[in-house]
Amino acid sequence: MVTETITAMDPSGLKAIGAGLAVGLTGIASALAEKDIGSAAIGAMAENESLFGKGLILTVIPETIVIFGLVVALLIK
């Protein structure tokens, strides 16, 4: 009969799950926000072509959420 003693639990697996959730959930949230902003920007540019710059800037803003998620994942690791 073999008996093994578990002395301490290795937290590296939980850290990997946390880092994956940080990047994955921020990616999903950014995609949902960018979908709504992008469709509104296309509609605005269909009526007035001079709104291209504002639409482009507003479309890029949600990408910062993913960068924050990546920073959190790197800090967890």
Side-chain angles (χ1 to χ4, degrees):
M1 179 175 211
V2 177
T3 58
E4 295 181 18
T5 306
I6 299 175
T7 57
M9 191 171 147
D10 186 22
S12 63
L14 294 175
K15 286 182 180 180
I17 290 172
L21 284 173
V23 174
L25 292 176
T26 55
I28 291 171
S30 174
L32 292 174
E34 201 165 335
K35 170 189 64 110
D36 294 335
I37 294 171
S39 63
I42 293 296
M45 283 186 283
E47 294 181 9
N48 187 359
E49 292 182 7
S50 66
L51 295 175
F52 175 76
K54 290 181 184 179
L56 181 66
I57 290 171
L58 290 175
T59 305
V60 173
I61 287 174
E63 291 295 324
T64 59
I65 299 171
V66 179
I67 294 171
F68 293 146
L70 180 64
V71 168
V72 168
L74 291 175
L75 289 175
I76 290 174
K77 203 83 168 122

